[in-house]
Amino acid sequence: MNDVYILDAVRSPRGRGKPGKGALSSVHPQELLAQTLNHLAERSGIEKGDVQDVVVGCVTQANEQGACIARNAVLAAGWPHEVTGCTVNRFCGSGLQAVNFAAYGIGAGHQHLTIGGGVESMSRVPMGSDGAMLDGHNMALRAKIAMVPQGISADLIATMQGYSRADVDGFALGSQQKAKVAIEENRFDKSLFAVRDADGQVLLDRDEHPRPTTTIDELGGLRAVFKDMGATPMGANGETMDQLALQRYSHIESIEHVHTAGNSSGIVDGAATVLLGSKDYCDAHQLKARARIIATATAGAEPVIMLTAPAPASRKALAMASMEASDIDLWEINEAFACVPMLTIRELGIDPDRVNVNGGSIALGHPLGATGACLLNTALDELERRNKQTALITLCIGGGMGIATIIERV
């Protein structure tokens, strides 16, 4: 395999994903991604026509995010018609998977310059807009595997691991506090660009979701949002969602619902892109790489509990790189729910001080299809800021999957 170099990476600020209320809710998702592509090209100085493919993650591919948002964003950005685009969906891992797919063409020697990234406008295309649950409403599949909503899976993990409400709230508070410091110290500024409206006026230049004044008492006062959902009938015989989950985990008497809006990832709008190149392209155009991708992996896990695969995916990537978890300087573990990074830290024996050092999706938000690329942005900038060498980015994925990518500064 040829070396795959990361030449640059940029992202939009993350706006609140509320229709008509978030700062980015007036921006069509194609235009949001188009601005991200143009900022990447402008900053890196590449010839746009040299890009051989743009691979984009997007989870809810319906309505304004339907058709092929990657190709449409390339056209909306005014790039040459010869530049192609492809849209992929690996649920919450889509943005990182898009980067990995873009890297594979270079690694195989078929391409020399590609872009991977993602976009999600959750204010304009809410979750569920595609009309499909995780199982695509296939009742035959549902009879075999009851893939309950992820929040119930998160509460099931917390119950099995013995994580209390205080534990997950404490983790969430840490995410907010670390993000507060990162924002105050301008740690995100290297990757961020200001999103503008059609008249050139700035709509948003900083992440909109963090709540830096959050207290543990405020977190403790929030209701467990998945408790009522767990009591909702879903099965063919009227079984509730909790009951369906417990059919697979019959040794558990009941699910303790501990996750809230405060210790789960935020609903936001956002986009991110990563520019990848081969050694030959970098040499020919006198471009300096910032890092290289040294390993990628995906892993499957039991699909009812669903969110436990970041650890096995990370182990696979580490094995490919002949590394141990202790060799990684910085970890970005997506905070879909507080229990996910908590479990991954426990299973891999990671030093918590190396994990999500600038906060995570609980504080900053989780723009589904873009998050993996956002996390890679954050990891790359922080490696440079701290003068460290290696980072591992990993996310849990609906349906019982995980994804991991290891990068190394050059």
Side-chain angles (χ1 to χ4, degrees), residues 50-55 70 74 83-86 102 111 113-116:
D50 287 352
V51 175
Q52 292 166 287
D53 206 6
V54 176
V55 187
V74 167
V83 179
T84 56
C86 175
Q111 296 169 317
L113 189 69
T114 60
I115 292 173

Side-chain angles (χ1 to χ4, degrees), residues 167-185:
D167 293 332
V168 291
D169 281 350
F171 186 93
L173 182 64
S175 182
Q176 295 285 359
Q177 291 173 336
K178 288 185 285 187
K180 178 177 183 292
V181 172
I183 292 167
E184 290 174 346
E185 296 184 356

Side-chain angles (χ1 to χ4, degrees), residues 138-314:
N138 181 352
M139 299 308 293
L141 174 60
R142 191 175 300 178
K144 297 175 184 176
I145 302 170
M147 286 187 281
V148 296
Q150 291 186 20
I152 294 171
S153 298
D155 285 338
L156 176 59
I157 290 170
T159 301
M160 293 177 64
Q161 294 294 322
Y163 298 144
S164 67
R165 173 66 183 270
D167 293 332
V168 291
D169 281 350
F171 186 93
L173 182 64
S175 182
Q176 295 285 359
Q177 291 173 336
K178 288 185 285 187
K180 178 177 183 292
V181 172
I183 292 167
E184 290 174 346
E185 296 184 356
N186 302 314
R187 296 184 189 178
F188 299 131
D189 287 6
K190 190 168 187 176
S191 287
L192 280 176
F193 70 93
V195 176
R196 299 175 182 272
D197 64 17
D199 296 323
Q201 299 300 308
V202 172
L203 292 172
L204 188 64
D205 61 3
R206 302 205 119 198
D207 291 313
E208 193 177 24
H209 189 268
R211 297 174 181 268
T213 61
T214 297
T215 67
I216 197 68
D217 288 340
E218 289 172 337
L219 289 171
L222 298 174
R223 68 182 184 88
V225 293
F226 304 107
K227 184 175 182 179
D228 290 343
M229 185 181 293
T232 302
M234 176 183 171
N237 298 313
E239 302 96 336
T240 67
M241 294 184 184
D242 276 3
Q243 289 171 336
L244 288 174
L246 291 173
Q247 287 178 1
R248 176 64 179 81
Y249 293 90
S250 56
H251 60 290
I252 303 297
E253 190 171 311
S254 62
I255 296 175
E256 185 70 22
H257 292 283
V258 297
H259 286 92
T260 70
N263 56 43
S264 305
S265 55
I267 294 173
V268 294
D269 305 332
T273 52
V274 180
L275 180 64
L276 305 170
S278 67
K279 184 179 186 303
D280 287 346
Y281 187 89
C282 292
D283 290 346
H285 294 82
Q286 298 181 321
L287 293 172
K288 183 179 180 181
R290 296 176 64 188
R292 70 187 181 101
I293 294 175
I294 60 174
T296 72
T298 57
E302 198 283 308
V304 174
I305 205 165
M306 194 178 306
L307 309 174
T308 59
S314 298

Side-chain angles (χ1 to χ4, degrees), residues 11-13 23-36 38-39 42 124 192-206:
R11 71 171 178 89
S12 75
L24 300 182
S25 63
S26 63
V27 184
H28 193 291
Q30 293 176 13
E31 299 296 335
L32 180 59
L33 181 55
Q35 289 193 38
T36 313
N38 279 333
H39 190 77
E42 178 183 350
R124 298 174 71 99
L192 280 176
F193 70 93
V195 176
R196 299 175 182 272
D197 64 17
D199 296 323
Q201 299 300 308
V202 172
L203 292 172
L204 188 64
D205 61 3
R206 302 205 119 198

Side-chain angles (χ1 to χ4, degrees), residues 44-66:
S44 63
I46 59 162
E47 289 291 333
K48 297 172 183 176
D50 287 352
V51 175
Q52 292 166 287
D53 206 6
V54 176
V55 187
V56 171
C58 184
V59 174
T60 308
Q61 296 181 29
N63 303 324
E64 292 180 345
Q65 291 179 169

